[in-house]
Amino acid sequence: MTPITTTAALAEFCNGLKGQPFIAVDTEFMRETTYWPKLCLIQVASPVSDAVIDPLAEGLDLEPLLELMRDETLLKVFHAARQDVEIFNNLKAMPTPLFDTQVAGMAAGFGEQIAYDALVRQMLKIEIDKSSRFTDWARRPLTDAQLAYALADVTHLARLFPVLRDRLEESGRLAWVEEEMKALSDPAAYDVDPEKAWRRLRPRKTQAKYLAVFKSVSAWRERTAQQRDQPRGRILKDEAIDELATQAPTSLEGLNTLRGVPKGFGGSKFGPDLIAAIKAALADPEGYAPVVDKPGPPPPPSAGAVVELLKVLLKARAEEAGVASKLIATVSDLEKIAADDEADTPALQGWRREAFGSDALKIKRGELALVLDGVKVRVVEVRRTPRPA
């Protein structure tokens, strides 16, 4: 098997894909020791053709493929799309529109985060050969067996997608996954602006000084990781950011007294830059500190019991609908509903409200009850006996 290694061959292949209803796409990449994923292989299949593309080939320009990724008339099909989408977004080619068969599998009743091989096995009755699963995709040359393994990921996906889409359409659930697909192709989900890095962490305090240092240290780590192309954790662990924000050291000696900071960090090449970032935040903490939502009033004592009740209801409704419960609501959603009937949560909007949210509110009002029928939980309406006059 010969992968595409020239721009001319790639352009010819991509021209043949124009006008197709969809293409199935997968990537192989390495990022264990880097910040940026190193793209090693791209596999593409349509109803009429397929190919493996070698992005590491000298002189290869990926632009013909990137144009297809940007083509809004061509549907791009992935499985567990997030990391693949991140790669194309980094290449300025957000793949829109897209369809994620893992998300669709949750709506079709295949459980939460179903693996690709399991979905292929259940829907196509094909057992995938995993012998090349742990290939070093950056090494060249790749064997025919390795290339065939990689290509099979998209040839099976191109067969699986129409079957899964039709199944969802017949059950009236195709629209259910559209919201999730839009979220996957939202550039904001892949924003790596260092000044926004603090958002992926959980600040524990709301004081301006703490938040300013928390944001500044998070930005410093993100910027340093990007510039050095190293994982964030190799620069500084998440837990160290909270300790630095709490203690706010302004000297190299102060850095070395912190438990979360690696031994000798103050004397390393990182130390002076980190101290400078902390001092910059402390120069104007009120102006630099991010705005965070302050915690609301404590939940009522009964909130914990209500959440547990809602978990049982969610499981029952998800089983009845044949949908993964995670697609309907998360534990965070349940906690918000338990505390507030008007909570701003997806579980109380759109199809999720119809499938679960409305009943969640009825449970809270005592209008529904959960009854154990053998080994199955049933949801029953509570009939209120009118009080005598």
Side-chain angles (χ1 to χ4, degrees), residues 60-345:
L60 176 64
D61 185 353
L62 289 175
E63 189 56 31
L65 178 65
L66 301 182
E67 286 182 8
L68 286 182
M69 292 296 110
R70 302 183 192 105
D71 183 354
E72 296 190 359
T73 68
L74 178 64
L75 180 67
K76 275 68 71 172
V77 179
F78 298 85
H79 183 84
R82 190 172 187 84
Q83 294 192 81
D84 300 310
V85 174
E86 178 190 356
I87 288 172
F88 286 112
N89 182 61
N90 290 343
L91 294 171
K92 312 300 182 187
M94 175 62 76
T96 53
L98 66 82
F99 188 94
D100 188 332
T101 55
Q102 186 177 70
V103 174
M106 289 195 285
F110 289 102
E112 297 182 7
Q113 296 182 325
I114 184 170
Y116 175 68
D117 58 339
L119 193 59
V120 169
R121 184 187 311 116
Q122 294 186 49
M123 296 206 71
L124 301 182
K125 311 304 179 186
I126 294 173
E127 197 69 40
I128 293 178
D129 178 9
K130 298 182 181 179
S131 58
S132 298
R133 186 174 186 180
F134 298 106
T135 293
D136 178 355
W137 296 106
R139 183 174 295 178
R140 296 293 183 272
L142 295 171
T143 67
D144 284 348
Q146 290 168 333
L147 292 170
Y149 168 85
L151 185 61
D153 279 349
V154 288
T155 54
H156 294 326
L157 190 58
R159 288 182 55 195
L160 183 152
F161 162 66
V163 180
L164 182 57
R165 176 198 57 200
D166 291 348
R167 175 169 174 158
L168 291 173
E169 199 164 30
E170 289 171 5
S171 63
R173 295 178 186 171
L174 190 57
W176 288 18
V177 300
E178 289 179 353
E179 184 179 335
E180 301 298 318
M181 305 306 173
K182 289 178 181 177
L184 278 171
S185 57
D186 181 1
Y190 307 94
D191 191 346
V192 291
D193 179 357
E195 291 298 315
K196 299 177 182 176
W198 68 273
R199 294 178 178 177
R200 61 174 294 275
L201 305 172
R202 288 188 176 183
R204 299 180 181 179
K205 301 176 183 177
T206 59
Q207 297 95 331
K209 178 182 174 182
Y210 170 92
L211 289 173
V213 176
F214 191 96
K215 177 183 175 182
S216 187
V217 173
S218 299
W220 171 83
R221 182 182 71 164
E222 197 78 8
R223 191 177 301 110
T224 303
Q226 291 176 5
Q227 292 171 349
R228 297 179 62 85
D229 195 18
Q230 292 182 336
R232 299 180 186 95
R234 289 199 178 185
I235 306 297
L236 201 64
K237 300 294 185 184
D238 287 357
E239 53 268 25
I241 295 178
D242 172 71
E243 187 177 9
L244 284 161
T246 300
Q247 301 298 331
T250 56
S251 68
L252 298 177
E253 294 76 14
L255 279 181
N256 291 331
T257 65
L258 303 184
R259 295 179 60 184
V261 175
K263 186 176 181 180
F265 197 85
S268 72
K269 53 194 168 186
F270 295 136
D273 287 344
L274 178 54
I275 289 297
I278 294 173
K279 287 182 175 179
L282 294 176
D284 182 17
E286 295 289 345
Y288 187 69
V291 177
V292 298
D293 294 331
K294 293 186 177 181
S302 61
V306 174
V307 170
E308 294 304 316
L309 196 62
L310 293 179
K311 286 180 181 179
V312 179
L313 172 67
L314 176 61
K315 187 174 186 298
R317 285 305 191 217
E319 288 179 351
E320 288 174 8
V323 181
S325 59
K326 183 179 178 180
L327 189 62
I328 299 176
T330 64
V331 173
S332 176
D333 294 329
L334 302 185
E335 291 171 346
K336 291 177 182 177
I337 295 172
D340 182 4
D341 287 4
E342 303 295 330
D344 182 13
T345 170

